[in-house]
Coordinates of all heavy atoms in Angstrom, one line a residue:
M1 N 73.2 78.1 90.8 CA 74.4 78.9 90.6 C 75.2 79.0 91.8 O 74.7 79.3 92.9 CB 74.1 80.3 90.0 CG 75.3 81.1 89.7 SD 75.1 82.9 89.5 CE 74.0 83.0 88.2
T2 N 76.5 78.9 91.7 CA 77.5 79.0 92.8 C 78.0 80.5 92.9 O 78.4 81.0 91.9 CB 78.6 78.0 92.7 OG1 78.1 76.7 92.7 CG2 79.6 78.1 93.8
R3 N 78.0 81.0 94.1 CA 78.7 82.3 94.3 C 80.1 82.0 94.9 O 80.2 81.1 95.7 CB 77.9 83.1 95.3 CG 76.7 83.8 94.8 CD 75.6 82.9 94.6 NE 74.3 83.7 94.2 CZ 73.4 83.1 93.6 NH1 73.4 81.9 93.1 NH2 72.3 83.8 93.3
R4 N 81.0 82.9 94.5 CA 82.4 82.6 94.9 C 83.1 84.0 95.3 O 82.8 85.0 94.6 CB 83.2 82.0 93.7 CG 84.7 81.8 94.0 CD 85.4 81.2 92.8 NE 84.7 79.9 92.5 CZ 84.4 79.6 91.3 NH1 84.5 80.4 90.2 NH2 83.8 78.4 91.0
A5 N 83.8 83.9 96.3 CA 84.6 85.1 96.8 C 86.1 84.6 97.0 O 86.2 83.5 97.6 CB 84.1 85.7 98.0
T6 N 87.0 85.3 96.6 CA 88.4 85.0 96.9 C 89.0 86.2 97.7 O 88.9 87.3 97.3 CB 89.3 84.8 95.7 OG1 88.7 83.7 94.9 CG2 90.8 84.5 96.0
L7 N 89.5 85.8 98.9 CA 90.1 86.9 99.8 C 91.6 86.7 99.9 O 92.1 85.6 100.1 CB 89.4 86.7 101.2 CG 87.9 86.9 101.3 CD1 87.2 85.6 101.1 CD2 87.5 87.6 102.5
R8 N 92.3 87.8 99.8 CA 93.7 87.7 100.0 C 94.1 88.7 101.1 O 93.8 89.9 101.0 CB 94.4 88.2 98.6 CG 94.3 87.3 97.4 CD 94.9 87.9 96.2 NE 95.0 86.9 95.2 CZ 95.9 86.0 94.9 NH1 97.0 86.1 95.7 NH2 95.8 85.1 94.0
T9 N 94.8 88.1 102.0 CA 95.3 88.9 103.1 C 96.8 88.8 103.3 O 97.3 87.6 103.1 CB 94.6 88.6 104.5 OG1 94.6 87.2 104.6 CG2 93.1 88.9 104.4
T10 N 97.5 89.8 103.7 CA 99.0 89.7 103.8 C 99.3 89.6 105.3 O 98.7 90.3 106.2 CB 99.6 91.0 103.3 OG1 99.1 91.1 101.9 CG2 101.1 91.0 103.3
H11 N 100.3 88.7 105.6 CA 100.7 88.4 107.0 C 102.2 88.2 107.1 O 102.8 87.8 106.1 CB 100.0 87.1 107.5 CG 98.5 87.2 107.3 ND1 97.6 87.8 108.2 CD2 97.7 86.7 106.3 CE1 96.4 87.7 107.8 NE2 96.4 87.0 106.6
D12 N 102.7 88.4 108.3 CA 104.1 88.1 108.5 C 104.4 86.7 108.4 O 105.4 86.3 107.9 CB 104.6 88.6 109.9 CG 104.6 90.2 110.0 OD1 104.7 90.8 109.0 OD2 104.5 90.7 111.1
D13 N 103.5 85.8 108.9 CA 103.6 84.4 108.8 C 102.3 83.8 108.5 O 101.5 83.4 109.3 CB 104.2 83.8 110.1 CG 104.6 82.3 109.9 OD1 104.1 81.7 109.0 OD2 105.5 81.9 110.7
P14 N 101.9 83.8 107.2 CA 100.6 83.3 106.7 C 100.3 81.8 107.1 O 99.1 81.5 107.3 CB 100.6 83.5 105.3 CG 102.0 83.6 104.8 CD 102.7 84.1 106.0
G15 N 101.4 81.0 107.2 CA 101.2 79.7 107.6 C 100.6 79.5 109.0 O 99.8 78.6 109.3
I16 N 101.1 80.3 109.9 CA 100.6 80.3 111.3 C 99.1 80.7 111.3 O 98.2 80.1 112.0 CB 101.4 81.2 112.3 CG1 102.8 80.6 112.4 CG2 100.7 81.4 113.5 CD1 103.7 81.4 113.2
V17 N 98.8 81.8 110.5 CA 97.3 82.2 110.5 C 96.5 81.1 109.9 O 95.4 80.9 110.4 CB 97.3 83.6 109.7 CG1 95.8 84.0 109.6 CG2 98.1 84.7 110.3
A18 N 97.0 80.5 108.8 CA 96.2 79.5 108.1 C 96.0 78.3 109.2 O 94.8 77.8 109.2 CB 96.9 78.9 106.9
G19 N 97.0 78.0 109.9 CA 96.8 76.9 111.0 C 95.8 77.3 112.0 O 95.0 76.4 112.5
A20 N 95.8 78.5 112.4 CA 94.8 79.1 113.4 C 93.4 79.0 112.9 O 92.5 78.8 113.7 CB 95.2 80.5 113.9
L21 N 93.3 79.2 111.6 CA 91.9 79.3 111.0 C 91.4 77.9 110.6 O 90.1 77.8 110.5 CB 91.9 80.1 109.7 CG 92.3 81.6 109.9 CD1 92.4 82.3 108.6 CD2 91.3 82.3 110.8
E22 N 92.3 77.0 110.4 CA 91.8 75.6 110.0 C 90.7 75.0 110.7 O 89.8 74.5 110.1 CB 93.0 74.7 110.0 CG 92.7 73.3 109.5 CD 92.3 73.3 108.0 OE1 92.7 74.1 107.2 OE2 91.5 72.4 107.6
P23 N 90.6 75.0 112.0 CA 89.5 74.4 112.7 C 88.1 75.0 112.4 O 87.1 74.3 112.5 CB 89.8 74.6 114.2 CG 91.3 74.8 114.3 CD 91.6 75.5 113.0
D24 N 88.1 76.2 112.0 CA 86.8 76.9 111.7 C 86.4 76.9 110.2 O 85.4 77.2 109.8 CB 86.9 78.4 112.2 CG 86.8 78.5 113.7 OD1 86.1 77.6 114.3 OD2 87.5 79.4 114.2
N25 N 87.3 76.4 109.4 CA 87.1 76.4 108.0 C 86.0 75.3 107.7 O 86.0 74.2 108.3 CB 88.3 76.0 107.1 CG 89.1 77.3 107.1 OD1 88.9 78.4 107.4 ND2 90.4 77.1 106.5
T26 N 85.2 75.5 106.7 CA 84.1 74.6 106.3 C 84.5 74.0 105.0 O 85.5 74.4 104.3 CB 82.8 75.3 106.1 OG1 82.9 76.2 105.0 CG2 82.4 76.1 107.3
E27 N 83.8 73.0 104.5 CA 84.0 72.3 103.3 C 83.9 73.3 102.0 O 84.3 73.0 101.0 CB 83.1 71.1 103.0 CG 83.4 70.0 104.0 CD 82.6 68.8 103.7 OE1 82.0 68.6 102.7 OE2 82.5 67.9 104.6
S28 N 83.2 74.4 102.2 CA 83.1 75.4 101.2 C 84.3 76.3 101.0 O 84.2 77.2 100.1 CB 81.8 76.2 101.4 OG 81.9 77.1 102.5
M29 N 85.3 76.1 101.8 CA 86.4 77.0 101.8 C 87.7 76.3 101.4 O 87.9 75.1 101.9 CB 86.6 77.6 103.3 CG 85.4 78.3 103.7 SD 85.5 78.6 105.5 CE 86.6 80.0 105.5
R30 N 88.6 76.9 100.6 CA 89.8 76.4 100.3 C 90.9 77.5 100.5 O 90.7 78.6 100.1 CB 90.0 76.1 98.8 CG 88.9 75.0 98.4 CD 89.3 73.6 98.9 NE 88.3 72.6 98.5 CZ 87.4 72.1 99.5 NH1 87.4 72.6 100.7 NH2 86.6 71.3 99.1
T31 N 91.9 77.2 101.3 CA 92.9 78.2 101.7 C 94.3 77.7 101.3 O 94.6 76.5 101.4 CB 92.9 78.4 103.3 OG1 91.6 78.9 103.7 CG2 93.9 79.3 103.7
R32 N 95.1 78.6 100.8 CA 96.5 78.3 100.5 C 97.3 79.4 100.8 O 96.9 80.6 100.9 CB 96.6 77.9 99.0 CG 96.2 79.0 98.1 CD 96.2 78.6 96.6 NE 96.0 79.7 95.7 CZ 94.8 80.2 95.4 NH1 93.7 79.8 96.0 NH2 94.7 81.2 94.5
V33 N 98.6 79.2 100.9 CA 99.6 80.3 101.2 C 100.3 80.5 99.9 O 100.8 79.6 99.2 CB 100.6 79.9 102.3 CG1 101.7 80.9 102.5 CG2 99.8 79.7 103.6
E34 N 100.5 81.8 99.5 CA 101.2 82.3 98.3 C 102.1 83.4 98.8 O 101.7 84.6 99.1 CB 100.3 82.8 97.3 CG 99.5 81.8 96.6 CD 98.6 82.3 95.5 OE1 98.6 83.6 95.2 OE2 97.8 81.6 94.9
G35 N 103.4 83.1 99.1 CA 104.4 84.1 99.6 C 103.9 84.5 101.0 O 103.8 83.7 101.9
D36 N 103.7 85.9 101.1 CA 103.2 86.4 102.4 C 101.7 86.5 102.5 O 101.2 87.2 103.3 CB 103.9 87.7 102.7 CG 103.6 88.8 101.7 OD1 103.0 88.5 100.7 OD2 103.9 90.0 102.0
E37 N 101.1 86.0 101.5 CA 99.6 86.1 101.4 C 98.9 84.7 101.8 O 99.4 83.7 101.5 CB 99.1 86.5 100.0 CG 99.4 87.9 99.6 CD 98.8 88.2 98.3 OE1 98.6 87.4 97.4 OE2 98.4 89.4 98.1
L38 N 97.7 84.9 102.5 CA 96.8 83.8 102.7 C 95.7 84.1 101.8 O 95.1 85.1 101.7 CB 96.4 83.9 104.2 CG 95.5 82.8 104.7 CD1 96.3 81.4 104.6 CD2 95.1 83.0 106.0
V39 N 95.5 83.1 100.9 CA 94.4 83.2 99.9 C 93.4 82.2 100.1 O 93.6 81.0 100.2 CB 95.0 82.9 98.5 CG1 93.9 83.1 97.4 CG2 96.2 83.8 98.2
T40 N 92.1 82.7 100.4 CA 91.0 81.8 100.7 C 89.9 82.0 99.7 O 89.4 83.1 99.5 CB 90.5 82.0 102.1 OG1 91.6 81.8 103.0 CG2 89.4 81.1 102.5
T41 N 89.4 80.9 99.1 CA 88.3 81.0 98.2 C 87.1 80.3 98.9 O 87.2 79.2 99.4 CB 88.6 80.3 96.9 OG1 89.7 80.9 96.3 CG2 87.4 80.3 95.9
I42 N 86.0 81.0 98.9 CA 84.7 80.5 99.5 C 83.7 80.4 98.4 O 83.5 81.3 97.6 CB 84.3 81.5 100.6 CG1 85.4 81.7 101.7 CG2 83.0 81.0 101.2 CD1 85.1 82.8 102.6
E43 N 83.0 79.2 98.3 CA 81.9 79.0 97.4 C 80.7 78.6 98.2 O 80.7 77.7 99.0 CB 82.4 77.9 96.4 CG 83.4 78.3 95.4 CD 83.7 77.2 94.4 OE1 83.1 76.1 94.5 OE2 84.5 77.4 93.5
R44 N 79.6 79.3 97.9 CA 78.3 79.0 98.5 C 77.2 79.0 97.4 O 77.4 79.7 96.4 CB 78.0 80.0 99.6 CG 79.0 80.0 100.8 CD 78.9 78.8 101.6 NE 77.6 78.4 102.1 CZ 77.1 78.8 103.3 NH1 77.9 79.5 104.1 NH2 75.9 78.4 103.7
H45 N 76.1 78.4 97.7 CA 75.1 78.4 96.8 C 74.1 79.7 96.8 O 73.4 79.9 95.9 CB 74.2 77.2 96.9 CG 74.9 75.9 96.6 ND1 75.3 75.6 95.3 CD2 75.4 74.9 97.3 CE1 76.0 74.5 95.3 NE2 76.0 74.1 96.4
S46 N 74.2 80.3 97.8 CA 73.4 81.6 98.0 C 74.3 82.8 98.3 O 75.3 82.7 99.0 CB 72.3 81.4 99.1 OG 72.9 81.4 100.3
T47 N 73.8 84.0 97.9 CA 74.5 85.2 98.2 C 74.6 85.4 99.7 O 75.6 85.9 100.2 CB 73.9 86.4 97.5 OG1 73.9 86.1 96.1 CG2 74.6 87.7 97.7
G48 N 73.4 85.2 100.4 CA 73.4 85.4 101.8 C 74.4 84.5 102.6 O 75.1 84.8 103.5
G49 N 74.4 83.2 102.1 CA 75.4 82.3 102.7 C 76.8 82.7 102.5 O 77.7 82.6 103.4
L50 N 77.1 83.2 101.3 CA 78.5 83.6 100.9 C 78.8 84.9 101.8 O 79.9 84.9 102.4 CB 78.6 84.0 99.4 CG 79.9 84.6 99.0 CD1 81.0 83.5 99.2 CD2 79.9 85.0 97.6
H51 N 77.9 85.8 102.0 CA 78.1 87.0 102.8 C 78.4 86.5 104.2 O 79.4 87.1 104.9 CB 76.9 87.9 102.7 CG 77.0 89.1 103.6 ND1 77.4 90.3 103.0 CD2 76.8 89.3 104.9 CE1 77.4 91.2 104.1 NE2 77.1 90.6 105.2
A52 N 77.6 85.7 104.8 CA 77.8 85.2 106.2 C 79.1 84.5 106.4 O 79.9 84.8 107.3 CB 76.7 84.3 106.6
T53 N 79.5 83.7 105.4 CA 80.8 82.9 105.6 C 82.0 83.9 105.5 O 82.9 83.8 106.2 CB 80.9 81.9 104.5 OG1 79.8 81.0 104.7 CG2 82.1 81.0 104.7
V54 N 81.9 84.8 104.5 CA 82.9 85.8 104.3 C 83.0 86.7 105.6 O 84.2 86.9 106.1 CB 82.7 86.7 103.2 CG1 83.7 87.9 103.1 CG2 83.0 85.9 101.8
D55 N 81.9 87.1 106.1 CA 82.0 87.9 107.4 C 82.6 87.1 108.5 O 83.4 87.6 109.2 CB 80.5 88.3 107.7 CG 80.5 89.2 108.9 OD1 81.2 90.3 108.9 OD2 79.8 88.9 109.9
D56 N 82.2 85.9 108.7 CA 82.8 85.0 109.7 C 84.3 84.9 109.5 O 85.1 84.9 110.5 CB 82.2 83.6 109.8 CG 80.8 83.7 110.3 OD1 80.4 84.7 110.9 OD2 80.0 82.6 110.2
Y57 N 84.7 84.6 108.3 CA 86.2 84.4 108.0 C 87.0 85.7 108.3 O 88.0 85.6 108.9 CB 86.3 84.1 106.5 CG 87.8 83.9 106.1 CD1 88.4 82.8 106.4 CD2 88.4 85.0 105.4 CE1 89.8 82.6 106.0 CE2 89.8 84.9 105.1 CZ 90.4 83.7 105.4 OH 91.7 83.6 104.9
V58 N 86.4 86.8 108.0 CA 87.2 88.1 108.2 C 87.3 88.3 109.8 O 88.4 88.7 110.2 CB 86.5 89.3 107.5 CG1 87.0 90.6 108.0 CG2 86.6 89.2 106.1
V59 N 86.3 88.1 110.5 CA 86.4 88.1 111.9 C 87.4 87.1 112.5 O 88.2 87.5 113.3 CB 85.0 87.9 112.6 CG1 85.1 87.6 114.1 CG2 84.0 89.0 112.3
N60 N 87.4 85.9 112.0 CA 88.4 84.9 112.4 C 89.8 85.3 112.1 O 90.7 85.0 112.9 CB 88.0 83.6 111.8 CG 86.8 82.9 112.4 OD1 86.3 83.4 113.4 ND2 86.2 81.9 111.7
V61 N 90.1 85.9 110.9 CA 91.4 86.4 110.6 C 91.8 87.5 111.5 O 93.0 87.4 112.0 CB 91.4 86.9 109.1 CG1 92.7 87.6 108.8 CG2 91.3 85.7 108.1
T62 N 90.9 88.3 111.8 CA 91.2 89.4 112.8 C 91.5 88.9 114.1 O 92.6 89.3 114.7 CB 90.1 90.4 112.9 OG1 89.8 90.9 111.5 CG2 90.4 91.6 113.8
V63 N 90.8 88.0 114.6 CA 91.1 87.4 115.9 C 92.4 86.6 115.9 O 93.2 86.8 116.8 CB 89.9 86.5 116.4 CG1 90.3 85.6 117.7 CG2 88.7 87.2 116.6
A64 N 92.6 85.8 114.8 CA 93.8 85.1 114.8 C 95.1 86.0 114.8 O 96.1 85.8 115.5 CB 93.9 84.2 113.5
E65 N 95.0 87.0 114.0 CA 96.1 88.0 113.9 C 96.4 88.7 115.3 O 97.5 88.8 115.8 CB 95.9 89.1 112.9 CG 96.3 88.7 111.6 CD 97.9 88.7 111.4 OE1 98.6 89.4 112.2 OE2 98.3 88.0 110.5
T66 N 95.3 89.0 116.0 CA 95.4 89.6 117.4 C 96.1 88.7 118.3 O 96.9 89.1 119.1 CB 94.0 90.1 117.8 OG1 93.4 91.0 117.0 CG2 94.1 90.7 119.2
V67 N 95.6 87.4 118.3 CA 96.1 86.4 119.3 C 97.6 86.2 119.0 O 98.5 86.1 119.8 CB 95.3 85.1 119.2 CG1 96.1 84.0 120.0 CG2 94.0 85.4 119.8
I68 N 97.9 86.0 117.6 CA 99.3 85.7 117.3 C 100.2 86.9 117.7 O 101.3 86.7 118.2 CB 99.4 85.5 115.7 CG1 98.8 84.2 115.4 CG2 100.9 85.5 115.2 CD1 98.4 84.0 114.0
E69 N 99.8 88.2 117.4 CA 100.6 89.3 117.8 C 100.7 89.4 119.3 O 101.8 89.7 119.9 CB 99.9 90.6 117.3 CG 100.8 91.8 117.5 CD 102.2 91.8 117.0 OE1 102.4 91.2 116.0 OE2 103.1 92.4 117.7
A70 N 99.7 89.1 120.1 CA 99.8 89.2 121.5 C 100.7 88.1 122.1 O 101.5 88.4 123.0 CB 98.4 88.9 122.1
T71 N 100.7 87.0 121.4 CA 101.6 85.9 121.8 C 103.0 86.3 121.5 O 104.0 86.1 122.3 CB 101.3 84.6 121.0 OG1 100.0 84.2 121.3 CG2 102.3 83.5 121.4
R72 N 103.3 86.9 120.4 CA 104.7 87.4 120.0 C 105.2 88.5 121.0 O 106.3 88.4 121.5 CB 104.7 87.9 118.6 CG 104.7 86.8 117.5 CD 104.9 87.4 116.2 NE 104.9 86.3 115.2 CZ 104.3 86.4 114.1 NH1 103.6 87.5 113.7 NH2 104.3 85.4 113.2
T73 N 104.3 89.4 121.3 CA 104.6 90.4 122.3 C 104.9 89.9 123.6 O 105.9 90.3 124.2 CB 103.5 91.4 122.3 OG1 103.3 92.0 121.1 CG2 103.8 92.6 123.3
H74 N 104.1 88.9 124.1 CA 104.3 88.3 125.4 C 105.6 87.5 125.4 O 106.4 87.6 126.4 CB 103.1 87.4 125.7 CG 103.2 86.7 127.0 ND1 103.1 87.3 128.2 CD2 103.6 85.4 127.3 CE1 103.3 86.4 129.2 NE2 103.6 85.2 128.7
T75 N 105.9 86.8 124.4 CA 107.1 86.0 124.3 C 108.3 86.9 124.3 O 109.3 86.6 124.9 CB 107.1 85.1 123.0 OG1 105.9 84.2 123.1 CG2 108.3 84.2 122.9
D76 N 108.3 87.9 123.4 CA 109.4 88.8 123.3 C 109.6 89.6 124.7 O 110.8 89.8 125.0 CB 109.1 89.9 122.2 CG 109.1 89.3 120.8 OD1 109.7 88.2 120.7 OD2 108.7 90.0 119.9
T77 N 108.6 89.9 125.3 CA 108.7 90.6 126.6 C 109.3 89.7 127.7 O 110.2 90.2 128.5 CB 107.3 91.1 127.1 OG1 106.8 92.0 126.1 CG2 107.4 91.9 128.4
N78 N 109.0 88.5 127.7 CA 109.5 87.5 128.7 C 110.9 87.1 128.4 O 111.5 86.5 129.3 CB 108.6 86.4 128.8 CG 107.3 86.7 129.5 OD1 107.3 87.6 130.5 ND2 106.2 86.1 129.3
H79 N 111.4 87.3 127.2 CA 112.8 86.9 126.8 C 113.8 88.0 127.0 O 115.0 87.8 126.7 CB 112.8 86.3 125.5 CG 112.2 84.9 125.4 ND1 111.3 84.4 126.2 CD2 112.5 83.9 124.6 CE1 111.0 83.2 125.9 NE2 111.7 82.8 125.0
E80 N 113.4 89.2 127.3 CA 114.3 90.3 127.5 C 115.0 90.3 128.8 O 114.6 89.8 129.7 CB 113.5 91.6 127.1 CG 113.1 91.7 125.7 CD 112.4 93.0 125.5 OE1 112.2 93.8 126.4 OE2 112.0 93.2 124.4

C-alpha cells in the first residue's frame, strides 16, 4: 500500500521556493505551483518513510524561505 501526503504552503514567490527545493526533491515527490501556493505530494511505501520525507521537506521549505528572505533584505538594504 502507498502512503501519500499533500502539503500546501503559501509564499510571496512560490516559483523561487520550488526552484530552491528542486535539487533535494526525490522521485517520490511531485511539486507544482498554484497561484501563491506551492503544492507538493509525497508518496512512500511506508509510514515511516513518508514521515521522514515530509519532515525533511518541511525543514527544506523553512530554510529556503529564510535564505530567500535574507537575500531580499540584503538586496533591498544595498540598493537604498
